[in-house]
Amino acid sequence: MNDTPRVCVQVQSVYIESQSAPDEDRYVYAYTITIRNLGRSSVQLLGRYWLITNGNGRETEVRGEGVIGEQPHIEPGGEYQYTSGAVLETPMGTMQGHYQMVDSEGEKLRVDIPVFRLAIASHIH
């Protein structure tokens, strides 16, 4: 297994006020993820794992195949971007996880997704 970082993950999150209902403890967030292939061979995203933690420390785990119903192939130097969402019971929380990928030689890769914050802008200090 080669330890060079071959895949880079960037995340941007935003609070969706129009779909949220704070009086019902419903806070909706969208996040856009950009996955860049910095390696020399193509990679395919096979699965994902998320650990979602709300502001009270309650954790939810999510596992699944692909992302948004796809298992994209990303060519060397290429990127794949998608937007998905999460619903929390608190105005702040975090997400982190990893992708399971495989390269063109069949070598499995685990690509960590660094922790990112889900928060209403007015709640960030």
Side-chain angles (χ1 to χ4, degrees), residues 109-122:
L109 308 170
R110 174 183 153 142
V111 178
D112 288 325
I113 305 160
V115 63
F116 61 94
R117 180 179 289 196
L118 301 172
I120 300 172
S122 63

Side-chain angles (χ1 to χ4, degrees), residues 31 35 44-48 50 62-73 80-85 99:
Y31 54 89
I35 304 166
Q44 182 181 13
L45 193 161
L46 300 177
R48 70 189 182 286
W50 287 112
V62 178
R63 295 172 204 279
E65 287 188 5
V67 290
I68 62 165
E70 298 179 12
Q71 291 184 316
H73 287 268
Y80 176 81
Q81 187 176 75
Y82 72 95
T83 300
S84 190
Y99 294 127

Side-chain angles (χ1 to χ4, degrees), residues 9-16 29-34 36 50 81-85 95 113-119:
V9 177
Q10 290 181 302
V11 185
Q12 288 182 300
S13 66
V14 64
Y15 174 63
I16 310 293
Y29 297 90
Y31 54 89
T32 299
I33 296 190
T34 305
R36 288 190 179 85
W50 287 112
Q81 187 176 75
Y82 72 95
T83 300
S84 190
M95 284 180 68
I113 305 160
V115 63
F116 61 94
R117 180 179 289 196
L118 301 172

Side-chain angles (χ1 to χ4, degrees), residues 98-116:
H98 63 264
Y99 294 127
Q100 295 93 27
M101 294 188 163
V102 64
D103 69 14
S104 55
E105 283 82 53
E107 183 178 328
K108 291 185 173 157
L109 308 170
R110 174 183 153 142
V111 178
D112 288 325
I113 305 160
V115 63
F116 61 94

Side-chain angles (χ1 to χ4, degrees), residues 1-72:
M1 176 109 174
N2 157 350
D3 287 333
T4 28
R6 293 190 266 174
V7 179
C8 168
V9 177
Q10 290 181 302
V11 185
Q12 288 182 300
S13 66
V14 64
Y15 174 63
I16 310 293
E17 190 172 3
S18 63
Q19 294 179 23
S20 298
D23 52 332
E24 297 168 21
D25 294 330
R26 178 184 164 83
Y27 300 87
V28 179
Y29 297 90
Y31 54 89
T32 299
I33 296 190
T34 305
I35 304 166
R36 288 190 179 85
N37 182 354
L38 308 175
R40 289 193 199 87
S41 69
S42 65
V43 294
Q44 182 181 13
L45 193 161
L46 300 177
R48 70 189 182 286
Y49 166 80
W50 287 112
L51 177 63
I52 305 165
T53 307
N54 75 13
N56 298 327
R58 190 170 77 79
E59 296 181 342
T60 305
E61 291 183 283
V62 178
R63 295 172 204 279
E65 287 188 5
V67 290
I68 62 165
E70 298 179 12
Q71 291 184 316

